[in-house]
Amino acid sequence: MNRTPLFSIISLNIFLKKYQFLCLELCARMCINQGKDAKQERLKVMITDMRDIAVFIAFFHVSIVVATVPPCQTCGSPNLSPPAPEAASPEPALTQPVESPKTVPPCQTCGSPNPSPPAHEAASPEPAPTPSADSPKTSKAPKDGVFDITEHGAVAGGGTESSSAFSAAWTAACDYAGKSTFYIPEGRYLVGPISFTGPCYNNWSPNVEIRGTLLAPISLSAFKSSTWIAFKNLQGFIVTGENETANIDGQGAAEAWKQFSCEKSDRCKKLITSMDLINVSHATISGITLSNSKGFHLGLHGSNHINIYNVNITAPKESPNTDGIHVSHSSNINIFSSTIGVGDDCVSIGPGSSNISISDVQCGPGHGISVGSLGKYKNEKDVVGISVQNCTIKGTQNGIRVKTWPGAPPSKASNMTFEDIFMINVSNPIIIDQEYCPSHSCNTSEPSLVKLTDIFVRNINGTYNTRSAITLLCSSEVPCENVQLVNISLNYVVPDSPRQGRMSTKGFLNGLQVINSRF
């Protein structure tokens, strides 16, 4: 900074102070040595002379200040144009030095809303532009938190295996510090076995939006476990899609259903669940189709507070072990407003399930809606609180069913309600089967020890095609207890075929009630 102007002003102030002091000193001396009149006259003359000298010196200093202070280019004038560069001063010491890159420039905008740059100042270099989100040197930022599998390398067409791209997109969505969506656009994507695992950021999961078709590998050798697509350890999980395009296709017909074990028994040796929810809570699945699974289409295990609706599940009625939805060791599950037609149970409820609700489900073809099978393994947990209501069951091997294995170890299944169900041409519309043995190779002489209590069947209407409308095969060791059949109206549709009886019973029953019913 140039300090000459400030120095000049300070010098002027010091001079004027000294001038005032000298005047007072002279006045005092003259007053001592001369008469009053002569003293005053002489003093006036000296003051006048000293004032003239002071004024001259003051103007000299002011001229230096004016010459050395660089003018503010825009102060106080909104339309002031900058002056042309000054010519070199004959006094180098007082000349404003040429501005170097290290010199702080003078105020350019003081008091001016529309400043113009000084004429002598070179234009400042433009700052380097900030790279955009699409710059190839930067990682792709998600658009509104959407992680598209194709932006991570997935290739549509159904010929390129894309599980690594799916995993990369999921990891990015799971780690995202905000609301995120794992997005599968329209197209056909071949995906090998894959696990989408949490917990995710802040213990909240990405939404999954499916617009395309996922194709499972055809060969069973591609699967090291019994699951194709697994969602594990997630909370607040939502899967949505469009039924017309969002399809989870297990491609079971190409190889899996042709296993030799499938032809020799009712259970294939290797079963692959298309989609499994394992330790998932507070989740919703809607608007998707699951088709042609190599085993169960949708499984729930160790999960709770799950809503499943507007789901379409389909496989040929000859496809083995292709349950629509299988629930085990889970609680507070709601399945509603869905269509399920498969080669096995539309919905099956396994051990350790509680508070399971099934409503407004269209079931068929298949084996109906079942609780069980139960008692195949030791130490199975109880089943309690099952509700099936407002469903339509059409063309199935069974209607509503509870099934346990013969020789099953002790466990319980209780508080099961089936009501407001319409059946169309079904076999075995109402059945309790505690001698369940699909391979027909079990030792039925050993009774099931699964205790069945509080089974309520109400308002069942429709048609059936088997000899018996109601079959109750209970254990000979632990009786079925408190079974109520209320307002049952079922019509046999093969009138010329002989029947053994409209109701078939076996084993022990305590507290059976049949009220206002015909079948």
Side-chain angles (χ1 to χ4, degrees), residues 19 41 75 190 204 226 294:
Y19 163 71
E41 187 66 25
C75 300
L190 178 62
W204 207 251
S226 60
K294 293 176 172 62

Side-chain angles (χ1 to χ4, degrees), residues 321-363:
N321 305 121
T322 54
D323 290 41
I325 301 174
H326 179 71
V327 182
S328 67
H329 300 92
S330 298
S331 62
N332 301 306
I333 309 298
N334 297 313
I335 303 167
F336 59 98
S337 301
S338 296
T339 300
I340 305 173
V342 291
D344 210 306
D345 293 329
C346 293
V347 181
S348 57
I349 301 169
S353 299
S354 62
N355 296 329
I356 312 298
S357 173
I358 303 166
S359 63
D360 191 24
V361 168
Q362 310 295 314
C363 170

Side-chain angles (χ1 to χ4, degrees), residues 74 76-81 112-114:
T74 56
S77 175
N79 299 309
L80 185 62
S81 299
S112 173
N114 299 305

Side-chain angles (χ1 to χ4, degrees), residues 293-491:
S293 178
K294 293 176 172 62
F296 298 163
H297 285 80
L298 176 59
L300 308 179
H301 184 82
S303 298
N304 62 84
H305 295 93
I306 311 294
N307 292 320
I308 301 170
Y309 65 94
N310 191 25
V311 168
N312 182 35
I313 302 176
T314 179
K317 66 180 181 180
E318 299 86 6
S319 58
N321 305 121
T322 54
D323 290 41
I325 301 174
H326 179 71
V327 182
S328 67
H329 300 92
S330 298
S331 62
N332 301 306
I333 309 298
N334 297 313
I335 303 167
F336 59 98
S337 301
S338 296
T339 300
I340 305 173
V342 291
D344 210 306
D345 293 329
C346 293
V347 181
S348 57
I349 301 169
S353 299
S354 62
N355 296 329
I356 312 298
S357 173
I358 303 166
S359 63
D360 191 24
V361 168
Q362 310 295 314
C363 170
H367 294 179
I369 298 175
S370 300
V371 176
S373 61
L374 305 177
K376 187 175 183 179
Y377 305 103
K378 293 182 179 180
N379 302 317
E380 287 186 355
K381 292 186 176 181
D382 297 344
V383 173
V384 59
I386 310 300
S387 173
V388 180
Q389 59 182 350
N390 296 318
C391 294
T392 298
I393 302 175
K394 180 179 179 180
T396 56
Q397 285 189 11
N398 306 284
I400 52 177
R401 177 170 57 161
V402 180
K403 52 183 177 177
T404 74
W405 291 81
S411 63
K412 296 179 182 179
S414 62
N415 191 18
M416 295 172 279
T417 300
F418 306 87
E419 62 183 347
D420 300 320
I421 297 172
F422 187 64
M423 299 188 181
I424 303 172
N425 195 27
V426 303
S427 303
N428 305 308
I430 301 170
I431 179 170
I432 294 176
D433 185 2
Q434 293 204 268
E435 297 180 355
Y436 174 72
C437 182
S439 64
H440 307 290
S441 60
C442 305
N443 183 6
T444 57
S445 63
E446 295 184 10
S448 173
L449 298 182
V450 178
K451 179 71 173 180
L452 304 180
T453 59
D454 301 327
I455 302 174
F456 308 104
V457 183
R458 308 184 186 111
N459 305 325
I460 311 298
N461 297 277
T463 59
Y464 66 102
N465 56 35
T466 47
R467 293 179 177 179
S468 298
I470 300 173
T471 302
L472 306 178
L473 303 179
C474 293
S475 171
S476 59
E477 185 72 21
V478 287
C480 301
E481 289 189 351
N482 193 22
V483 178
Q484 295 183 5
L485 304 174
V486 180
N487 295 329
I488 311 300
S489 178
L490 294 169
N491 296 317

Side-chain angles (χ1 to χ4, degrees), residues 29-47:
R29 289 180 180 178
M30 291 176 65
C31 289
I32 295 171
N33 299 323
Q34 298 181 17
K36 183 176 181 181
D37 294 337
K39 293 175 185 177
Q40 290 180 353
E41 187 66 25
R42 182 67 180 269
L43 180 59
K44 288 180 181 180
V45 173
M46 289 183 65
I47 291 173

Side-chain angles (χ1 to χ4, degrees), residues 465 467 492 494-499:
N465 56 35
R467 293 179 177 179
Y492 183 58
V494 190
D496 296 333
S497 176
R499 293 186 292 167

